[in-house]
Amino acid sequence: MSTDRILAHFQEAQSVLNAFVADEQQMANVALAAEHMVNAIRQGGKIISCGNGGSMSDAMHFAEELTGRYRDNRPSLPAIAISDPSYLSCTANDYGYEHVFSRFVQGMGQPGDVLLAISTSGNSGNVINAAEMAKAQGLAVIGLTGKTGGKLAPLCDVEIRAPQSSYADRVQEIHIKVIHALIDSIEVGVASA
């Protein structure tokens, strides 16, 4: 197999990352999102994360790094991903898949908490419903999006948008880097309280 296609894959990923890093507004948005999250935790709140498919994996990764361990030993931090299979299948069966995240936010979200809503298109119906519920419940909404930001963008207190690209995998690669930057910022911010 030729390495040309493989090399092109990494070059495209590097180009998208370079574009994101060069966008001063997006760097400011990451910092602002981290500030929201640190403030929520300092005030006794939590971070709820959600997404579909690979974005659910990212939501889970975010929560486990905070409740578990990222780089250094420190107390567990309050974060939970909406990912329990029995909950998801129950709610999808009884209310429809479009409500699996919003009902969790309705039951578990408290004013002062933060919702990390992840959608590569910004148009995932169940993520949009979760963001709407979060706003109604008094949660801040941090959105990780791509493309144009979709219907999720106007619901966000802070939107972090990956650069335009042809495929969702490039967006997901930006999202995981943002997630790691957020976790690091949260650890440092909470420790300095």
Side-chain angles (χ1 to χ4, degrees), residues 1-54:
M1 175 180 270
S2 167
T3 60
D4 290 348
R5 184 175 178 88
I6 293 168
L7 180 60
H9 172 81
F10 285 100
Q11 289 171 332
E12 182 185 35
Q14 184 177 35
S15 174
V16 172
L17 178 60
N18 288 342
F20 184 73
V21 170
D23 188 330
E24 292 180 8
Q25 183 60 59
Q26 292 306 316
M27 294 298 103
N29 288 350
V30 175
L32 184 57
E35 186 177 313
H36 275 283
M37 293 173 172
V38 167
N39 288 339
I41 292 170
R42 283 180 175 172
Q43 294 169 13
K46 62 187 169 298
I47 306 168
I48 300 170
S49 55
C50 67
N52 295 292

Side-chain angles (χ1 to χ4, degrees), residues 141-180:
V141 177
I142 308 300
L144 298 186
T145 68
K147 297 187 179 181
T148 65
K151 295 176 183 176
L152 181 59
L155 297 170
C156 297
D157 293 280
V158 182
E159 180 202 6
I160 301 166
R161 186 184 303 174
Q164 186 75 29
S165 56
S166 300
Y167 298 101
D169 56 330
R170 296 281 91 96
V171 176
Q172 290 170 328
E173 289 163 358
I174 297 299
H175 285 180
I176 195 62
K177 287 170 176 43
V178 169
I179 284 168
H180 284 156

Side-chain angles (χ1 to χ4, degrees), residues 46-50 80 82 104-105 108-109 114-116 139:
K46 62 187 169 298
I47 306 168
I48 300 170
S49 55
C50 67
I80 186 167
I82 308 173
F104 188 96
V105 171
M108 299 294 288
V114 172
L115 174 69
L116 177 61
L139 283 72

Side-chain angles (χ1 to χ4, degrees), residues 21 28 89-90 109 119 137 151 161:
V21 170
S89 62
C90 166
S119 173
Q137 300 264 120
K151 295 176 183 176
R161 186 184 303 174

Side-chain angles (χ1 to χ4, degrees), residues 85-104 106:
S86 62
Y87 165 77
L88 293 171
S89 62
C90 166
T91 305
N93 184 62
D94 292 346
Y95 297 98
Y97 193 67
E98 65 273 18
H99 299 290
V100 295
F101 300 141
S102 58
R103 285 191 61 82
F104 188 96
Q106 183 180 46

Side-chain angles (χ1 to χ4, degrees), residues 56-71:
M56 178 180 281
S57 297
D58 287 344
M60 294 167 66
H61 182 77
F62 174 81
E64 60 86 4
E65 294 281 22
L66 288 176
T67 56
R69 181 180 187 269
Y70 180 55
R71 290 187 171 174

